[in-house]
């Protein structure tokens, strides 16, 4: 089971979380719109993947958020997501691939 923590704006949370939870091999451990809270939870929960939805207005400056997440030095896969950039099902495909790769190990 691939565990995921999601940083997403309130207005997009329902849609994005439901898309992620549609993947049987994936479990959303936590989600929040607050950058500091998301990074604190990542340090404690150690998810397999940290999804940062940069299209969310409340996630702040995308470059800063991604830099802070990388600076944690966590083993989590960092996935930067923005609707409208890349294929519409790209996030689902990437998480599915990560879950299957994890299961194969």
């Amino acid at each position: 089971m691939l565990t995921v923590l999601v940083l997403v704006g309130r207005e997009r949370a329902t849609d994005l979380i439901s898309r992620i939870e549609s993947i049987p091999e994936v479990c959303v451990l936590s989600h929040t719109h607050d950058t500091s809270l998301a990074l604190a939870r990542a340090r404690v929960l150690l998810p397999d993947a940290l999804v940062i939805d940069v299209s969310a207005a409340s996630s702040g400056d995308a470059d800063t958020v991604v830099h802070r997440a990388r600076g944690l030095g966590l083993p989590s896969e960092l996935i930067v997501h923005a609707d409208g950039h890349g294929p519409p099902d790209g996030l689902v495909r990437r998480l599915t691939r990560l879950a299957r790769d994890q299961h194969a190990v």
Side-chain angles (χ1 to χ4, degrees):
M1 179 73 55
L2 183 80
T3 58
V4 179
L5 189 147
V6 184
L7 172 60
V8 59
R10 288 181 179 132
E11 67 282 352
R12 296 176 37 77
T14 302
D15 178 55
L16 188 60
I17 299 302
S18 65
R19 282 195 302 184
I20 294 171
E21 289 182 335
S22 72
I23 309 165
E25 303 92 356
V26 174
C27 172
V28 175
L29 292 176
S30 179
H31 71 279
T32 183
H33 68 280
D34 182 275
T35 300
S36 295
L37 182 56
L39 298 177
R41 287 179 182 173
R43 282 191 297 271
V44 173
L45 298 173
L46 299 174
D48 297 313
L50 173 58
V51 175
I52 299 174
D53 178 28
V54 296
S55 59
S58 61
S59 67
D61 177 44
D63 290 337
T64 301
V65 173
V66 171
H67 178 73
R68 287 179 60 198
R70 286 187 177 135
L72 293 176
L74 300 174
S76 306
E77 180 82 21
L78 181 61
I79 300 171
V80 179
H81 172 72
D83 275 340
H85 301 291
D89 60 347
L91 177 63
V92 170
R93 281 191 309 216
R94 183 154 181 208
L95 289 171
T96 300
R97 186 176 57 241
L98 283 172
R100 290 182 180 153
D101 289 349
Q102 181 186 50
H103 184 68
V105 173

